[in-house]
Amino acid sequence: MTDEHGSTRPEEDAARLGLVVVGEAAALQSGDEAALDASEENIRETVDGMVDQPLTPRQEEVVQRLASAGGTLTAGLSGALAAQTGRSVDDVLEGAARSIVWQERMAAEHDRRAAELDDGLPEQHDDDQRRTSGDQRQRSGEDTRRDTEESADERRRPGSDER
């Protein structure tokens, strides 16, 4: 248990938890016992860093199982998406992690702009924010499509490494 939670925004904590779940999914997909053990420890450490008071043993077990269940669900959905799109599960999980980080950055940018507005900046700033947010969503979609196309092109090339 640390005092980190007092200085973080809820979006940061949510992003950390989301990345923990993606890490659990990656460990499950790998089938590597050491990776699974490391992921379980990461879950414990992450949650411990977010709570105000030590969890009871039962609470700790519930949180652990929730994170593991989230990882299992994420692994299954990632596997299905990978099979449907012809991408590797690693590519899908990497995309999920990038999406989590992107969403947290967008929330941080929103908070920053809201703070600027509170400090008395002009109202047109809000219109700029909506326009920028839409532009960033579009670019993120374009980046994902480009990454998907590049990954598929690499797998089609003779002599490329198959995953």
Side-chain angles (χ1 to χ4, degrees), residues 25-44:
L28 287 165
Q29 283 289 335
S30 76
D32 180 1
E33 285 297 319
L36 285 169
D37 290 344
S39 177
E40 300 294 321
E41 182 60 27
N42 190 29
I43 291 168
R44 281 189 289 280

Side-chain angles (χ1 to χ4, degrees), residues 69-90:
T72 299
L73 181 60
T74 302
L77 292 173
S78 296
L81 182 59
Q84 187 176 31
T85 61
R87 296 174 64 196
S88 73
V89 175
D90 289 341

Side-chain angles (χ1 to χ4, degrees), residues 1 5 23 27 35 42-44 48 55 58 63 72 74 86 99 105 108 119 124 132 140 145 147:
M1 182 176 67
H5 63 278
N42 190 29
I43 291 168
R44 281 189 289 280
D48 189 47
L55 298 175
R58 172 138 171 75
V63 169
T72 299
T74 302
S99 178
R105 286 181 183 158
D119 291 341
Q124 80 177 44
T132 300
S140 177
R145 280 192 296 282
D147 291 348

Side-chain angles (χ1 to χ4, degrees), residues 101-153:
V101 170
W102 176 80
Q103 287 176 348
E104 195 285 321
R105 286 181 183 158
M106 291 298 301
E109 179 67 14
H110 178 268
D111 290 351
R112 184 187 65 76
R113 289 181 181 193
E116 288 175 358
L117 284 173
D118 288 344
D119 291 341
L121 292 179
E123 288 298 317
Q124 80 177 44
H125 189 70
D126 196 35
D127 292 336
D128 293 343
Q129 179 180 352
R130 275 191 233 101
R131 190 172 25 262
T132 300
S133 181
D135 291 347
Q136 288 173 331
R137 275 194 297 276
Q138 181 179 354
R139 279 195 303 273
S140 177
E142 291 167 359
D143 290 346
T144 301
R145 280 192 296 282
R146 185 187 67 244
D147 291 348
T148 302
E149 290 168 1
E150 288 174 359
S151 180
D153 288 345

